[in-house]
Amino acid sequence: HVQLVESGGGSVQAGGSLRLSCSLSEYDVTINCMGWFRQAPGKEREGVAATYTGGGRTYYADSVKGRFTISRDNAKNTLYLQMNSLKPVDTAMYYCAATERTVLSALVFDETTYNYWGQGTQVTVS
């Protein structure tokens, strides 16, 4: 069983920064890949950033490259999304996702890849 608990959302002005956290609890499961998704009102959920927990490549949506950084503190079993130079278009509900399955790099932003999801945390940029 896997549990994801998110925190760190809030309201900031354009150009500001936020760091989202996703606490991971694993029970007889080894997570292989984790990612961040977001969904704005009236729009479909979209992938933002993803990483393999054992290291290796990280992946970013073109719209956030150079501004967002995904990372993981293995000692704390926590996934982070550092969000800098925030824009109003970044306003959305942000979700943490995880899977123990083998994931092809081409599918890291396919929501059906992930079988565990957090509750979401709201980010508002004005």
Side-chain angles (χ1 to χ4, degrees):
H1 180 67
V2 173
Q3 183 180 38
L4 304 174
V5 180
E6 298 166 299
S7 62
S11 298
V12 297
Q13 290 189 277
S17 298
L18 284 174
R19 188 178 74 164
L20 307 184
S21 299
C22 175
S23 178
L24 168 67
S25 297
E26 300 172 87
Y27 305 94
D28 297 319
V29 176
T30 300
I31 294 297
N32 185 54
C33 184
M34 300 184 71
W36 289 96
F37 289 73
R38 68 186 182 187
Q39 186 170 29
K43 302 184 69 175
E44 294 186 352
R45 188 179 300 173
E46 63 176 352
V48 176
T51 186
Y52 291 94
T53 56
R57 290 184 175 274
T58 55
Y59 304 87
Y60 297 95
D62 289 341
S63 60
V64 307
K65 286 181 179 178
R67 299 189 297 121
F68 291 10
T69 303
I70 188 170
S71 63
R72 189 169 190 269
D73 186 331
N74 291 326
K76 296 181 179 180
N77 226 19
T78 301
L79 182 75
Y80 300 100
L81 184 67
Q82 179 65 46
M83 309 165 67
N84 298 328
S85 302
L86 283 163
K87 306 174 181 179
V89 73
D90 296 318
T91 296
M93 185 73 73
Y94 283 72
Y95 299 89
C96 177
T99 182
E100 75 275 23
R101 301 171 64 182
T102 299
V103 179
L104 297 175
S105 60
L107 299 178
V108 296
F109 290 147
D110 186 335
E111 63 183 89
T112 65
T113 290
Y114 302 93
N115 49 336
Y116 306 106
W117 292 84
Q119 80 285 358
T121 184
Q122 178 67 38
V123 172
T124 301
V125 185
S126 61

